[in-house]
PDB file of all heavy atoms in Angstrom:
ATOM      1  N   LYS A   1      24.013   7.625  -8.673  1.00 93.00           N
ATOM      2  CA  LYS A   1      23.933   7.716  -7.213  1.00 93.00           C
ATOM      3  C   LYS A   1      22.699   6.993  -6.700  1.00 93.00           C
ATOM      4  O   LYS A   1      22.745   6.299  -5.680  1.00 93.00           O
ATOM      5  CB  LYS A   1      23.914   9.182  -6.778  1.00 93.00           C
ATOM      6  CG  LYS A   1      25.254   9.884  -6.913  1.00 93.00           C
ATOM      7  CD  LYS A   1      25.144  11.350  -6.513  1.00 93.00           C
ATOM      8  CE  LYS A   1      26.478  12.072  -6.700  1.00 93.00           C
ATOM      9  NZ  LYS A   1      26.366  13.519  -6.387  1.00 93.00           N
ATOM     10  N   HIS A   2      21.580   7.171  -7.409  1.00 92.00           N
ATOM     11  CA  HIS A   2      20.365   6.460  -7.013  1.00 92.00           C
ATOM     12  C   HIS A   2      20.586   4.950  -7.078  1.00 92.00           C
ATOM     13  O   HIS A   2      20.209   4.214  -6.154  1.00 92.00           O
ATOM     14  CB  HIS A   2      19.198   6.850  -7.923  1.00 92.00           C
ATOM     15  CG  HIS A   2      18.570   8.171  -7.580  1.00 92.00           C
ATOM     16  ND1 HIS A   2      18.002   8.424  -6.349  1.00 92.00           N
ATOM     17  CD2 HIS A   2      18.409   9.301  -8.306  1.00 92.00           C
ATOM     18  CE1 HIS A   2      17.525   9.660  -6.330  1.00 92.00           C
ATOM     19  NE2 HIS A   2      17.770  10.219  -7.504  1.00 92.00           N
ATOM     20  N   PHE A   3      21.189   4.504  -8.168  1.00 92.00           N
ATOM     21  CA  PHE A   3      21.395   3.073  -8.359  1.00 92.00           C
ATOM     22  C   PHE A   3      22.299   2.495  -7.269  1.00 92.00           C
ATOM     23  O   PHE A   3      22.029   1.418  -6.725  1.00 92.00           O
ATOM     24  CB  PHE A   3      22.004   2.810  -9.730  1.00 92.00           C
ATOM     25  CG  PHE A   3      22.098   1.352 -10.088  1.00 92.00           C
ATOM     26  CD1 PHE A   3      21.040   0.701 -10.682  1.00 92.00           C
ATOM     27  CD2 PHE A   3      23.260   0.633  -9.829  1.00 92.00           C
ATOM     28  CE1 PHE A   3      21.123  -0.649 -11.009  1.00 92.00           C
ATOM     29  CE2 PHE A   3      23.361  -0.709 -10.150  1.00 92.00           C
ATOM     30  CZ  PHE A   3      22.286  -1.356 -10.743  1.00 92.00           C
ATOM     31  N   LEU A   4      23.352   3.196  -6.956  1.00 92.00           N
ATOM     32  CA  LEU A   4      24.339   2.673  -6.010  1.00 92.00           C
ATOM     33  C   LEU A   4      23.943   2.861  -4.552  1.00 92.00           C
ATOM     34  O   LEU A   4      24.292   2.039  -3.702  1.00 92.00           O
ATOM     35  CB  LEU A   4      25.700   3.336  -6.253  1.00 92.00           C
ATOM     36  CG  LEU A   4      26.360   3.074  -7.609  1.00 92.00           C
ATOM     37  CD1 LEU A   4      27.628   3.902  -7.744  1.00 92.00           C
ATOM     38  CD2 LEU A   4      26.661   1.592  -7.794  1.00 92.00           C
ATOM     39  N   TYR A   5      23.213   3.939  -4.264  1.00 92.00           N
ATOM     40  CA  TYR A   5      23.045   4.304  -2.858  1.00 92.00           C
ATOM     41  C   TYR A   5      21.600   4.470  -2.396  1.00 92.00           C
ATOM     42  O   TYR A   5      21.363   4.836  -1.248  1.00 92.00           O
ATOM     43  CB  TYR A   5      23.805   5.605  -2.575  1.00 92.00           C
ATOM     44  CG  TYR A   5      25.253   5.548  -3.004  1.00 92.00           C
ATOM     45  CD1 TYR A   5      25.746   6.383  -4.013  1.00 92.00           C
ATOM     46  CD2 TYR A   5      26.142   4.642  -2.420  1.00 92.00           C
ATOM     47  CE1 TYR A   5      27.070   6.333  -4.412  1.00 92.00           C
ATOM     48  CE2 TYR A   5      27.472   4.582  -2.814  1.00 92.00           C
ATOM     49  CZ  TYR A   5      27.928   5.429  -3.810  1.00 92.00           C
ATOM     50  OH  TYR A   5      29.240   5.374  -4.207  1.00 92.00           O
ATOM     51  N   ASP A   6      20.592   4.211  -3.244  1.00 91.00           N
ATOM     52  CA  ASP A   6      19.201   4.353  -2.812  1.00 91.00           C
ATOM     53  C   ASP A   6      18.893   3.418  -1.649  1.00 91.00           C
ATOM     54  O   ASP A   6      19.441   2.314  -1.543  1.00 91.00           O
ATOM     55  CB  ASP A   6      18.242   4.056  -3.969  1.00 91.00           C
ATOM     56  CG  ASP A   6      17.838   5.320  -4.718  1.00 91.00           C
ATOM     57  OD1 ASP A   6      18.260   6.411  -4.290  1.00 91.00           O
ATOM     58  OD2 ASP A   6      17.109   5.220  -5.718  1.00 91.00           O
ATOM     59  N   SER A   7      17.983   3.860  -0.792  1.00 92.00           N
ATOM     60  CA  SER A   7      17.562   3.066   0.363  1.00 92.00           C
ATOM     61  C   SER A   7      16.044   3.030   0.414  1.00 92.00           C
ATOM     62  O   SER A   7      15.361   3.530  -0.483  1.00 92.00           O
ATOM     63  CB  SER A   7      18.122   3.680   1.649  1.00 92.00           C
ATOM     64  OG  SER A   7      17.551   4.965   1.846  1.00 92.00           O
ATOM     65  N   MET A   8      15.502   2.455   1.468  1.00 93.00           N
ATOM     66  CA  MET A   8      14.054   2.318   1.596  1.00 93.00           C
ATOM     67  C   MET A   8      13.353   3.678   1.564  1.00 93.00           C
ATOM     68  O   MET A   8      12.201   3.773   1.136  1.00 93.00           O
ATOM     69  CB  MET A   8      13.714   1.582   2.882  1.00 93.00           C
ATOM     70  CG  MET A   8      14.122   0.111   2.882  1.00 93.00           C
ATOM     71  SD  MET A   8      13.196  -0.876   1.691  1.00 93.00           S
ATOM     72  CE  MET A   8      11.605  -0.929   2.482  1.00 93.00           C
ATOM     73  N   SER A   9      14.022   4.708   2.000  1.00 92.00           N
ATOM     74  CA  SER A   9      13.412   6.037   1.971  1.00 92.00           C
ATOM     75  C   SER A   9      13.216   6.547   0.546  1.00 92.00           C
ATOM     76  O   SER A   9      12.526   7.554   0.329  1.00 92.00           O
ATOM     77  CB  SER A   9      14.273   7.029   2.760  1.00 92.00           C
ATOM     78  OG  SER A   9      15.559   7.157   2.160  1.00 92.00           O
ATOM     79  N   SER A  10      13.817   5.863  -0.420  1.00 93.00           N
ATOM     80  CA  SER A  10      13.713   6.289  -1.819  1.00 93.00           C
ATOM     81  C   SER A  10      12.496   5.691  -2.531  1.00 93.00           C
ATOM     82  O   SER A  10      12.253   6.005  -3.699  1.00 93.00           O
ATOM     83  CB  SER A  10      14.981   5.889  -2.579  1.00 93.00           C
ATOM     84  OG  SER A  10      16.149   6.372  -1.945  1.00 93.00           O
ATOM     85  N   LEU A  11      11.748   4.815  -1.855  1.00 95.00           N
ATOM     86  CA  LEU A  11      10.573   4.216  -2.481  1.00 95.00           C
ATOM     87  C   LEU A  11       9.546   5.293  -2.809  1.00 95.00           C
ATOM     88  O   LEU A  11       9.411   6.288  -2.102  1.00 95.00           O
ATOM     89  CB  LEU A  11       9.940   3.172  -1.549  1.00 95.00           C
ATOM     90  CG  LEU A  11      10.781   1.939  -1.196  1.00 95.00           C
ATOM     91  CD1 LEU A  11      10.012   1.052  -0.227  1.00 95.00           C
ATOM     92  CD2 LEU A  11      11.164   1.159  -2.448  1.00 95.00           C
ATOM     93  N   TYR A  12       8.802   5.064  -3.882  1.00 96.00           N
ATOM     94  CA  TYR A  12       7.781   6.023  -4.280  1.00 96.00           C
ATOM     95  C   TYR A  12       6.610   6.023  -3.292  1.00 96.00           C
ATOM     96  O   TYR A  12       6.398   5.059  -2.543  1.00 96.00           O
ATOM     97  CB  TYR A  12       7.266   5.694  -5.685  1.00 96.00           C
ATOM     98  CG  TYR A  12       8.292   5.853  -6.775  1.00 96.00           C
ATOM     99  CD1 TYR A  12       8.805   4.750  -7.447  1.00 96.00           C
ATOM    100  CD2 TYR A  12       8.755   7.113  -7.131  1.00 96.00           C
ATOM    101  CE1 TYR A  12       9.751   4.895  -8.450  1.00 96.00           C
ATOM    102  CE2 TYR A  12       9.705   7.267  -8.136  1.00 96.00           C
ATOM    103  CZ  TYR A  12      10.197   6.160  -8.785  1.00 96.00           C
ATOM    104  OH  TYR A  12      11.144   6.312  -9.769  1.00 96.00           O
ATOM    105  N   ASP A  13       5.867   7.106  -3.309  1.00 96.00           N
ATOM    106  CA  ASP A  13       4.656   7.227  -2.501  1.00 96.00           C
ATOM    107  C   ASP A  13       3.685   6.117  -2.915  1.00 96.00           C
ATOM    108  O   ASP A  13       3.293   6.026  -4.075  1.00 96.00           O
ATOM    109  CB  ASP A  13       4.023   8.601  -2.762  1.00 96.00           C
ATOM    110  CG  ASP A  13       2.754   8.835  -1.961  1.00 96.00           C
ATOM    111  OD1 ASP A  13       2.259   7.884  -1.321  1.00 96.00           O
ATOM    112  OD2 ASP A  13       2.247   9.974  -1.996  1.00 96.00           O
ATOM    113  N   PRO A  14       3.295   5.234  -1.981  1.00 97.00           N
ATOM    114  CA  PRO A  14       2.430   4.110  -2.367  1.00 97.00           C
ATOM    115  C   PRO A  14       1.090   4.558  -2.938  1.00 97.00           C
ATOM    116  O   PRO A  14       0.471   3.837  -3.725  1.00 97.00           O
ATOM    117  CB  PRO A  14       2.248   3.341  -1.061  1.00 97.00           C
ATOM    118  CG  PRO A  14       2.513   4.330   0.022  1.00 97.00           C
ATOM    119  CD  PRO A  14       3.578   5.230  -0.532  1.00 97.00           C
ATOM    120  N   PHE A  15       0.639   5.765  -2.568  1.00 97.00           N
ATOM    121  CA  PHE A  15      -0.672   6.224  -3.017  1.00 97.00           C
ATOM    122  C   PHE A  15      -0.663   6.667  -4.487  1.00 97.00           C
ATOM    123  O   PHE A  15      -1.709   7.005  -5.042  1.00 97.00           O
ATOM    124  CB  PHE A  15      -1.176   7.344  -2.112  1.00 97.00           C
ATOM    125  CG  PHE A  15      -1.382   6.881  -0.691  1.00 97.00           C
ATOM    126  CD1 PHE A  15      -0.491   7.269   0.315  1.00 97.00           C
ATOM    127  CD2 PHE A  15      -2.431   6.046  -0.366  1.00 97.00           C
ATOM    128  CE1 PHE A  15      -0.664   6.827   1.618  1.00 97.00           C
ATOM    129  CE2 PHE A  15      -2.613   5.605   0.940  1.00 97.00           C
ATOM    130  CZ  PHE A  15      -1.727   5.992   1.935  1.00 97.00           C
ATOM    131  N   LEU A  16       0.538   6.636  -5.117  1.00 98.00           N
ATOM    132  CA  LEU A  16       0.591   6.875  -6.553  1.00 98.00           C
ATOM    133  C   LEU A  16       0.041   5.688  -7.334  1.00 98.00           C
ATOM    134  O   LEU A  16      -0.348   5.833  -8.490  1.00 98.00           O
ATOM    135  CB  LEU A  16       2.031   7.149  -6.995  1.00 98.00           C
ATOM    136  CG  LEU A  16       2.656   8.475  -6.555  1.00 98.00           C
ATOM    137  CD1 LEU A  16       4.133   8.505  -6.938  1.00 98.00           C
ATOM    138  CD2 LEU A  16       1.919   9.652  -7.177  1.00 98.00           C
ATOM    139  N   MET A  17       0.011   4.524  -6.683  1.00 98.00           N
ATOM    140  CA  MET A  17      -0.474   3.338  -7.372  1.00 98.00           C
ATOM    141  C   MET A  17      -1.999   3.351  -7.397  1.00 98.00           C
ATOM    142  O   MET A  17      -2.650   3.547  -6.367  1.00 98.00           O
ATOM    143  CB  MET A  17       0.047   2.060  -6.704  1.00 98.00           C
ATOM    144  CG  MET A  17      -0.154   0.806  -7.559  1.00 98.00           C
ATOM    145  SD  MET A  17       0.656  -0.666  -6.895  1.00 98.00           S
ATOM    146  CE  MET A  17       2.393  -0.258  -7.120  1.00 98.00           C
ATOM    147  N   LYS A  18      -2.542   3.134  -8.553  1.00 97.00           N
ATOM    148  CA  LYS A  18      -3.987   3.191  -8.742  1.00 97.00           C
ATOM    149  C   LYS A  18      -4.718   2.272  -7.758  1.00 97.00           C
ATOM    150  O   LYS A  18      -4.364   1.109  -7.598  1.00 97.00           O
ATOM    151  CB  LYS A  18      -4.355   2.797 -10.171  1.00 97.00           C
ATOM    152  CG  LYS A  18      -5.843   2.886 -10.463  1.00 97.00           C
ATOM    153  CD  LYS A  18      -6.177   2.395 -11.865  1.00 97.00           C
ATOM    154  CE  LYS A  18      -7.678   2.445 -12.099  1.00 97.00           C
ATOM    155  NZ  LYS A  18      -8.049   1.904 -13.414  1.00 97.00           N
ATOM    156  N   ASP A  19      -5.740   2.810  -7.114  1.00 97.00           N
ATOM    157  CA  ASP A  19      -6.655   2.084  -6.216  1.00 97.00           C
ATOM    158  C   ASP A  19      -6.042   1.677  -4.886  1.00 97.00           C
ATOM    159  O   ASP A  19      -6.719   1.020  -4.077  1.00 97.00           O
ATOM    160  CB  ASP A  19      -7.230   0.841  -6.906  1.00 97.00           C
ATOM    161  CG  ASP A  19      -8.427   1.175  -7.801  1.00 97.00           C
ATOM    162  OD1 ASP A  19      -8.768   2.373  -7.923  1.00 97.00           O
ATOM    163  OD2 ASP A  19      -9.021   0.244  -8.369  1.00 97.00           O
ATOM    164  N   VAL A  20      -4.781   2.031  -4.631  1.00 98.00           N
ATOM    165  CA  VAL A  20      -4.182   1.661  -3.349  1.00 98.00           C
ATOM    166  C   VAL A  20      -4.929   2.320  -2.193  1.00 98.00           C
ATOM    167  O   VAL A  20      -5.262   1.674  -1.196  1.00 98.00           O
ATOM    168  CB  VAL A  20      -2.683   2.021  -3.310  1.00 98.00           C
ATOM    169  CG1 VAL A  20      -2.203   2.159  -1.874  1.00 98.00           C
ATOM    170  CG2 VAL A  20      -1.865   0.934  -3.993  1.00 98.00           C
ATOM    171  N   ARG A  21      -5.196   3.612  -2.301  1.00 98.00           N
ATOM    172  CA  ARG A  21      -5.896   4.293  -1.211  1.00 98.00           C
ATOM    173  C   ARG A  21      -7.294   3.690  -1.012  1.00 98.00           C
ATOM    174  O   ARG A  21      -7.712   3.437   0.120  1.00 98.00           O
ATOM    175  CB  ARG A  21      -6.011   5.793  -1.490  1.00 98.00           C
ATOM    176  CG  ARG A  21      -6.680   6.575  -0.360  1.00 98.00           C
ATOM    177  CD  ARG A  21      -6.728   8.061  -0.645  1.00 98.00           C
ATOM    178  NE  ARG A  21      -5.401   8.645  -0.691  1.00 98.00           N
ATOM    179  CZ  ARG A  21      -4.739   9.054   0.395  1.00 98.00           C
ATOM    180  NH1 ARG A  21      -5.273   8.928   1.606  1.00 98.00           N
ATOM    181  NH2 ARG A  21      -3.532   9.587   0.265  1.00 98.00           N
ATOM    182  N   LYS A  22      -8.000   3.469  -2.109  1.00 97.00           N
ATOM    183  CA  LYS A  22      -9.353   2.916  -2.019  1.00 97.00           C
ATOM    184  C   LYS A  22      -9.331   1.541  -1.355  1.00 97.00           C
ATOM    185  O   LYS A  22     -10.140   1.241  -0.473  1.00 97.00           O
ATOM    186  CB  LYS A  22      -9.963   2.821  -3.417  1.00 97.00           C
ATOM    187  CG  LYS A  22     -11.403   2.345  -3.437  1.00 97.00           C
ATOM    188  CD  LYS A  22     -11.928   2.291  -4.876  1.00 97.00           C
ATOM    189  CE  LYS A  22     -13.381   1.813  -4.907  1.00 97.00           C
ATOM    190  NZ  LYS A  22     -13.883   1.703  -6.303  1.00 97.00           N
ATOM    191  N   GLY A  23      -8.387   0.701  -1.781  1.00 97.00           N
ATOM    192  CA  GLY A  23      -8.287  -0.633  -1.199  1.00 97.00           C
ATOM    193  C   GLY A  23      -7.879  -0.598   0.260  1.00 97.00           C
ATOM    194  O   GLY A  23      -8.442  -1.323   1.091  1.00 97.00           O
ATOM    195  N   ALA A  24      -6.896   0.247   0.585  1.00 97.00           N
ATOM    196  CA  ALA A  24      -6.418   0.328   1.972  1.00 97.00           C
ATOM    197  C   ALA A  24      -7.513   0.845   2.899  1.00 97.00           C
ATOM    198  O   ALA A  24      -7.694   0.335   4.028  1.00 97.00           O
ATOM    199  CB  ALA A  24      -5.192   1.228   2.037  1.00 97.00           C
ATOM    200  N   GLU A  25      -8.248   1.842   2.467  1.00 97.00           N
ATOM    201  CA  GLU A  25      -9.325   2.379   3.305  1.00 97.00           C
ATOM    202  C   GLU A  25     -10.406   1.335   3.548  1.00 97.00           C
ATOM    203  O   GLU A  25     -10.953   1.230   4.654  1.00 97.00           O
ATOM    204  CB  GLU A  25      -9.914   3.628   2.652  1.00 97.00           C
ATOM    205  CG  GLU A  25      -8.970   4.830   2.708  1.00 97.00           C
ATOM    206  CD  GLU A  25      -9.516   6.045   1.974  1.00 97.00           C
ATOM    207  OE1 GLU A  25     -10.495   5.876   1.192  1.00 97.00           O
ATOM    208  OE2 GLU A  25      -8.970   7.148   2.157  1.00 97.00           O
ATOM    209  N   ARG A  26     -10.733   0.535   2.528  1.00 97.00           N
ATOM    210  CA  ARG A  26     -11.744  -0.517   2.708  1.00 97.00           C
ATOM    211  C   ARG A  26     -11.257  -1.561   3.697  1.00 97.00           C
ATOM    212  O   ARG A  26     -12.031  -2.059   4.538  1.00 97.00           O
ATOM    213  CB  ARG A  26     -12.043  -1.185   1.360  1.00 97.00           C
ATOM    214  CG  ARG A  26     -13.050  -2.349   1.462  1.00 97.00           C
ATOM    215  CD  ARG A  26     -14.410  -1.859   1.912  1.00 97.00           C
ATOM    216  NE  ARG A  26     -15.354  -2.952   2.111  1.00 97.00           N
ATOM    217  CZ  ARG A  26     -15.568  -3.565   3.273  1.00 97.00           C
ATOM    218  NH1 ARG A  26     -14.882  -3.204   4.372  1.00 97.00           N
ATOM    219  NH2 ARG A  26     -16.457  -4.533   3.376  1.00 97.00           N
ATOM    220  N   ILE A  27      -9.980  -1.905   3.632  1.00 98.00           N
ATOM    221  CA  ILE A  27      -9.432  -2.907   4.557  1.00 98.00           C
ATOM    222  C   ILE A  27      -9.461  -2.387   5.989  1.00 98.00           C
ATOM    223  O   ILE A  27      -9.844  -3.110   6.931  1.00 98.00           O
ATOM    224  CB  ILE A  27      -8.000  -3.291   4.135  1.00 98.00           C
ATOM    225  CG1 ILE A  27      -8.026  -4.041   2.796  1.00 98.00           C
ATOM    226  CG2 ILE A  27      -7.322  -4.138   5.199  1.00 98.00           C
ATOM    227  CD1 ILE A  27      -6.673  -4.208   2.154  1.00 98.00           C
ATOM    228  N   LEU A  28      -9.073  -1.134   6.194  1.00 97.00           N
ATOM    229  CA  LEU A  28      -9.086  -0.563   7.545  1.00 97.00           C
ATOM    230  C   LEU A  28     -10.507  -0.507   8.099  1.00 97.00           C
ATOM    231  O   LEU A  28     -10.734  -0.746   9.288  1.00 97.00           O
ATOM    232  CB  LEU A  28      -8.451   0.822   7.531  1.00 97.00           C
ATOM    233  CG  LEU A  28      -6.936   0.852   7.281  1.00 97.00           C
ATOM    234  CD1 LEU A  28      -6.439   2.287   7.192  1.00 97.00           C
ATOM    235  CD2 LEU A  28      -6.186   0.105   8.383  1.00 97.00           C
ATOM    236  N   THR A  29     -11.466  -0.216   7.241  1.00 97.00           N
ATOM    237  CA  THR A  29     -12.870  -0.223   7.681  1.00 97.00           C
ATOM    238  C   THR A  29     -13.282  -1.624   8.102  1.00 97.00           C
ATOM    239  O   THR A  29     -13.975  -1.809   9.117  1.00 97.00           O
ATOM    240  CB  THR A  29     -13.785   0.276   6.541  1.00 97.00           C
ATOM    241  OG1 THR A  29     -13.429   1.608   6.212  1.00 97.00           O
ATOM    242  CG2 THR A  29     -15.253   0.227   6.951  1.00 97.00           C
ATOM    243  N   ALA A  30     -12.858  -2.621   7.330  1.00 97.00           N
ATOM    244  CA  ALA A  30     -13.183  -4.002   7.667  1.00 97.00           C
ATOM    245  C   ALA A  30     -12.571  -4.405   9.004  1.00 97.00           C
ATOM    246  O   ALA A  30     -13.204  -5.120   9.800  1.00 97.00           O
ATOM    247  CB  ALA A  30     -12.686  -4.930   6.557  1.00 97.00           C
ATOM    248  N   ILE A  31     -11.356  -3.944   9.257  1.00 97.00           N
ATOM    249  CA  ILE A  31     -10.712  -4.250  10.539  1.00 97.00           C
ATOM    250  C   ILE A  31     -11.483  -3.604  11.683  1.00 97.00           C
ATOM    251  O   ILE A  31     -11.746  -4.237  12.721  1.00 97.00           O
ATOM    252  CB  ILE A  31      -9.242  -3.782  10.522  1.00 97.00           C
ATOM    253  CG1 ILE A  31      -8.430  -4.589   9.491  1.00 97.00           C
ATOM    254  CG2 ILE A  31      -8.620  -3.920  11.911  1.00 97.00           C
ATOM    255  CD1 ILE A  31      -7.012  -4.091   9.291  1.00 97.00           C
ATOM    256  N   GLU A  32     -11.867  -2.359  11.509  1.00 96.00           N
ATOM    257  CA  GLU A  32     -12.624  -1.654  12.547  1.00 96.00           C
ATOM    258  C   GLU A  32     -13.953  -2.337  12.840  1.00 96.00           C
ATOM    259  O   GLU A  32     -14.400  -2.409  13.990  1.00 96.00           O
ATOM    260  CB  GLU A  32     -12.872  -0.211  12.112  1.00 96.00           C
ATOM    261  CG  GLU A  32     -11.613   0.648  12.057  1.00 96.00           C
ATOM    262  CD  GLU A  32     -11.880   2.001  11.419  1.00 96.00           C
ATOM    263  OE1 GLU A  32     -13.051   2.290  11.088  1.00 96.00           O
ATOM    264  OE2 GLU A  32     -10.907   2.762  11.235  1.00 96.00           O
ATOM    265  N   ARG A  33     -14.616  -2.850  11.811  1.00 97.00           N
ATOM    266  CA  ARG A  33     -15.924  -3.489  11.977  1.00 97.00           C
ATOM    267  C   ARG A  33     -15.823  -4.957  12.382  1.00 97.00           C
ATOM    268  O   ARG A  33     -16.837  -5.600  12.661  1.00 97.00           O
ATOM    269  CB  ARG A  33     -16.705  -3.401  10.666  1.00 97.00           C
ATOM    270  CG  ARG A  33     -17.085  -1.987  10.245  1.00 97.00           C
ATOM    271  CD  ARG A  33     -17.728  -2.021   8.876  1.00 97.00           C
ATOM    272  NE  ARG A  33     -18.147  -0.682   8.427  1.00 97.00           N
ATOM    273  CZ  ARG A  33     -18.603  -0.419   7.205  1.00 97.00           C
ATOM    274  NH1 ARG A  33     -18.693  -1.401   6.307  1.00 97.00           N
ATOM    275  NH2 ARG A  33     -18.967   0.804   6.876  1.00 97.00           N
ATOM    276  N   GLY A  34     -14.622  -5.503  12.377  1.00 96.00           N
ATOM    277  CA  GLY A  34     -14.455  -6.916  12.708  1.00 96.00           C
ATOM    278  C   GLY A  34     -14.954  -7.842  11.610  1.00 96.00           C
ATOM    279  O   GLY A  34     -15.363  -8.978  11.870  1.00 96.00           O
ATOM    280  N   GLU A  35     -14.908  -7.369  10.362  1.00 97.00           N
ATOM    281  CA  GLU A  35     -15.376  -8.175   9.243  1.00 97.00           C
ATOM    282  C   GLU A  35     -14.372  -9.285   8.913  1.00 97.00           C
ATOM    283  O   GLU A  35     -13.192  -9.191   9.232  1.00 97.00           O
ATOM    284  CB  GLU A  35     -15.598  -7.287   8.009  1.00 97.00           C
ATOM    285  CG  GLU A  35     -16.723  -6.277   8.184  1.00 97.00           C
ATOM    286  CD  GLU A  35     -16.874  -5.355   6.987  1.00 97.00           C
ATOM    287  OE1 GLU A  35     -15.873  -5.134   6.261  1.00 97.00           O
ATOM    288  OE2 GLU A  35     -17.988  -4.855   6.782  1.00 97.00           O
ATOM    289  N   ARG A  36     -14.888 -10.304   8.266  1.00 97.00           N
ATOM    290  CA  ARG A  36     -14.027 -11.433   7.890  1.00 97.00           C
ATOM    291  C   ARG A  36     -13.228 -11.057   6.640  1.00 97.00           C
ATOM    292  O   ARG A  36     -13.789 -10.709   5.597  1.00 97.00           O
ATOM    293  CB  ARG A  36     -14.870 -12.681   7.628  1.00 97.00           C
ATOM    294  CG  ARG A  36     -14.068 -13.886   7.113  1.00 97.00           C
ATOM    295  CD  ARG A  36     -14.948 -15.132   7.060  1.00 97.00           C
ATOM    296  NE  ARG A  36     -14.358 -16.191   6.285  1.00 97.00           N
ATOM    297  CZ  ARG A  36     -13.380 -17.018   6.692  1.00 97.00           C
ATOM    298  NH1 ARG A  36     -12.895 -16.870   7.919  1.00 97.00           N
ATOM    299  NH2 ARG A  36     -12.912 -17.970   5.917  1.00 97.00           N
ATOM    300  N   ILE A  37     -11.880 -11.144   6.741  1.00 98.00           N
ATOM    301  CA  ILE A  37     -10.966 -10.840   5.640  1.00 98.00           C
ATOM    302  C   ILE A  37     -10.185 -12.100   5.284  1.00 98.00           C
ATOM    303  O   ILE A  37      -9.633 -12.765   6.171  1.00 98.00           O
ATOM    304  CB  ILE A  37      -9.976  -9.721   6.017  1.00 98.00           C
ATOM    305  CG1 ILE A  37     -10.718  -8.468   6.501  1.00 98.00           C
ATOM    306  CG2 ILE A  37      -9.061  -9.387   4.846  1.00 98.00           C
ATOM    307  CD1 ILE A  37      -9.798  -7.396   7.040  1.00 98.00           C
ATOM    308  N   VAL A  38     -10.137 -12.417   4.007  1.00 97.00           N
ATOM    309  CA  VAL A  38      -9.371 -13.577   3.544  1.00 97.00           C
ATOM    310  C   VAL A  38      -8.351 -13.124   2.499  1.00 97.00           C
ATOM    311  O   VAL A  38      -8.691 -12.402   1.557  1.00 97.00           O
ATOM    312  CB  VAL A  38     -10.287 -14.657   2.936  1.00 97.00           C
ATOM    313  CG1 VAL A  38      -9.456 -15.784   2.322  1.00 97.00           C
ATOM    314  CG2 VAL A  38     -11.215 -15.229   4.002  1.00 97.00           C
ATOM    315  N   VAL A  39      -7.105 -13.543   2.686  1.00 97.00           N
ATOM    316  CA  VAL A  39      -6.044 -13.296   1.705  1.00 97.00           C
ATOM    317  C   VAL A  39      -6.014 -14.491   0.763  1.00 97.00           C
ATOM    318  O   VAL A  39      -5.816 -15.634   1.194  1.00 97.00           O
ATOM    319  CB  VAL A  39      -4.674 -13.115   2.383  1.00 97.00           C
ATOM    320  CG1 VAL A  39      -3.608 -12.783   1.349  1.00 97.00           C
ATOM    321  CG2 VAL A  39      -4.743 -12.042   3.457  1.00 97.00           C
ATOM    322  N   TYR A  40      -6.229 -14.243  -0.519  1.00 96.00           N
ATOM    323  CA  TYR A  40      -6.291 -15.312  -1.522  1.00 96.00           C
ATOM    324  C   TYR A  40      -4.989 -15.273  -2.324  1.00 96.00           C
ATOM    325  O   TYR A  40      -4.748 -14.351  -3.087  1.00 96.00           O
ATOM    326  CB  TYR A  40      -7.488 -15.092  -2.446  1.00 96.00           C
ATOM    327  CG  TYR A  40      -7.849 -16.261  -3.335  1.00 96.00           C
ATOM    328  CD1 TYR A  40      -9.052 -16.933  -3.180  1.00 96.00           C
ATOM    329  CD2 TYR A  40      -6.988 -16.680  -4.351  1.00 96.00           C
ATOM    330  CE1 TYR A  40      -9.400 -18.003  -4.012  1.00 96.00           C
ATOM    331  CE2 TYR A  40      -7.311 -17.740  -5.175  1.00 96.00           C
ATOM    332  CZ  TYR A  40      -8.525 -18.399  -4.995  1.00 96.00           C
ATOM    333  OH  TYR A  40      -8.854 -19.458  -5.814  1.00 96.00           O
ATOM    334  N   GLY A  41      -4.158 -16.296  -2.157  1.00 94.00           N
ATOM    335  CA  GLY A  41      -2.821 -16.269  -2.741  1.00 94.00           C
ATOM    336  C   GLY A  41      -2.608 -17.231  -3.886  1.00 94.00           C
ATOM    337  O   GLY A  41      -3.548 -17.732  -4.502  1.00 94.00           O
TER     338      GLY A  41
END
C-alpha cells in the first residue's frame, strides 16, 4: 500500500536527518541578520 499509494504526506520528518535542524537554524539566523549567503553547487 505504501509503495502504490504513498504521497508527499508520507515523507519522513526532515529533522531526523543529522544536522538538518542545526543547518536550518543557522540559515534562518543569517536571513534575519541580512548576512551574505551563497549556494555552492
Side-chain angles (χ1 to χ4, degrees):
K1 287 178 182 177
H2 281 300
F3 187 87
L4 296 175
Y5 307 116
D6 266 357
S7 65
M8 291 294 288
S9 62
S10 306
L11 296 178
Y12 294 111
D13 180 351
F15 297 107
L16 290 173
M17 193 172 291
K18 182 184 178 183
D19 278 3
V20 158
R21 183 178 295 275
K22 184 180 180 182
E25 289 176 346
R26 177 64 184 93
I27 293 168
L28 291 176
T29 299
I31 295 173
E32 292 171 4
R33 294 174 179 172
E35 294 177 334
R36 175 172 166 78
I37 305 173
V38 174
V39 183
Y40 193 114

